[in-house]
Amino acid sequence: MKFNPVLYLKAAKRLTSSFVFGHQLGLLDEEDARELMPQLAFYLVKYTTTKTEPELVTREEVKDSLFLHWLVLQIFANMTPKQFVNTFPIKKFYEGHKYGIKDY
């Protein structure tokens, strides 16, 4: 099933605009902001992994892409390990016929 990467970008924009608007009005405290970070990280990672790369890339597109990757890394740095594992769970696969154990 293929998803449109623009949908993930729109969701990330919607989340950041509601975050900024809520912060300006004083409705969001620091704990609420920490709860929004895993959602934003998920949307941005899904956007970067599902978008197709064009054949020709301009310097500005490269700068924008690097900034987006830097932003995702900064969000990861502010997440706790528990938030990270809950947002991006480790996939297990079973090769019982070969090893008889679950492997990570």
Side-chain angles (χ1 to χ4, degrees):
M1 182 177 211
K2 189 169 181 167
F3 293 99
N4 189 355
V6 176
L7 296 177
Y8 293 117
L9 187 61
K10 286 182 180 180
K13 285 182 181 180
R14 209 171 32 247
L15 187 64
T16 54
S17 65
S18 65
F19 171 75
V20 169
F21 184 70
H23 185 67
Q24 287 175 346
L25 294 178
L27 300 174
L28 288 176
D29 57 351
E30 191 174 325
E31 187 173 320
D32 292 333
R34 284 193 181 141
E35 291 177 8
L36 294 177
M37 287 298 149
Q39 292 175 3
L40 182 60
F42 177 78
Y43 291 142
L44 292 177
V45 166
K46 290 297 275 185
Y47 169 72
T48 57
T49 57
T50 57
K51 72 176 181 172
T52 58
E53 294 295 327
E55 288 185 25
L56 296 174
V57 182
T58 64
R59 183 181 298 254
E60 291 299 320
E61 289 173 344
V62 170
K63 285 182 181 180
D64 292 342
S65 179
L66 286 174
F67 178 75
L68 183 64
H69 286 87
W70 176 82
L71 179 65
V72 171
L73 287 175
Q74 293 302 313
I75 293 171
F76 286 164
N78 289 320
M79 290 172 61
T80 64
K82 185 175 182 178
Q83 286 176 327
F84 188 83
V85 170
N86 284 339
T87 306
F88 303 102
I90 300 169
K91 292 184 181 179
K92 300 177 184 178
F93 57 92
Y94 180 70
E95 293 183 354
H97 61 281
K98 197 170 186 180
Y99 302 110
I101 58 170
K102 278 192 178 182
D103 200 6
Y104 289 92

